[in-house]
Amino acid sequence: QVQVVESGGGLVQAGGSLRLSCTTSGLTFNDYSMGWFRQAPGKEREGVSCINRSGGSTYYADSVKGRFTISRDNAKNTLYLQMNSLKPEDTAMYYCAASGSGGSWYGPPRRVYEYNYWGQGTQVTVSS
């Protein structure tokens, strides 16, 4: 049985930093592209940042470019999201997800429907 578990969320002031982690079990981690998504109340789930199987290709939403960094440690079956210069509009539930797709020439998969396994989410709240 596949499990995806996020951690590291919390309450932080604007301008602060958080690092999210995601661990998986029940799948071969380096066979999967991984992604971070977020969903704020009343809004659709959106892709924040994604990374391909090897870690050599990444995607960032325009709203987080230059502030967030995605990385993965295949030896530890762990995905990370370093979030700096946080803004109140970053407040959302953050989800980690695994995709069996390797992506394409434009990079790792980045759409919600491309991801097969999802965690329960970790809440990030940024106060102004």
Side-chain angles (χ1 to χ4, degrees):
Q1 184 174 349
V2 175
Q3 288 191 313
V4 179
V5 180
E6 306 94 338
S7 62
L11 173 64
V12 64
Q13 288 190 329
S17 298
L18 284 173
R19 187 172 86 151
L20 305 184
S21 298
C22 169
T23 58
T24 69
S25 59
L27 56 78
T28 303
F29 186 71
N30 57 10
D31 283 347
Y32 285 80
S33 297
M34 300 296 295
W36 289 101
F37 294 78
R38 67 187 180 187
Q39 188 167 17
K43 295 190 176 181
E44 290 188 356
R45 192 170 297 190
E46 62 175 355
V48 175
S49 183
C50 305
I51 190 166
N52 72 344
R53 293 162 176 161
S54 68
S57 179
T58 57
Y59 158 79
Y60 294 94
D62 287 344
S63 58
V64 306
K65 280 181 182 175
R67 300 189 297 122
F68 291 10
T69 302
I70 192 170
S71 61
R72 64 188 296 163
D73 185 335
N74 285 349
K76 296 182 178 179
N77 290 0
T78 304
L79 176 73
Y80 303 99
L81 185 68
Q82 178 67 44
M83 305 187 295
N84 298 329
S85 302
L86 282 161
K87 303 176 181 180
E89 50 263 44
D90 294 317
T91 295
M93 185 71 78
Y94 282 71
Y95 298 91
C96 174
S99 170
S101 169
S104 69
W105 62 269
Y106 60 81
R110 63 191 65 179
R111 308 297 182 194
V112 170
Y113 68 84
E114 296 181 281
Y115 283 77
N116 311 99
Y117 301 106
W118 293 82
Q120 294 298 307
T122 185
Q123 178 68 38
V124 171
T125 303
V126 185
S127 63
S128 57

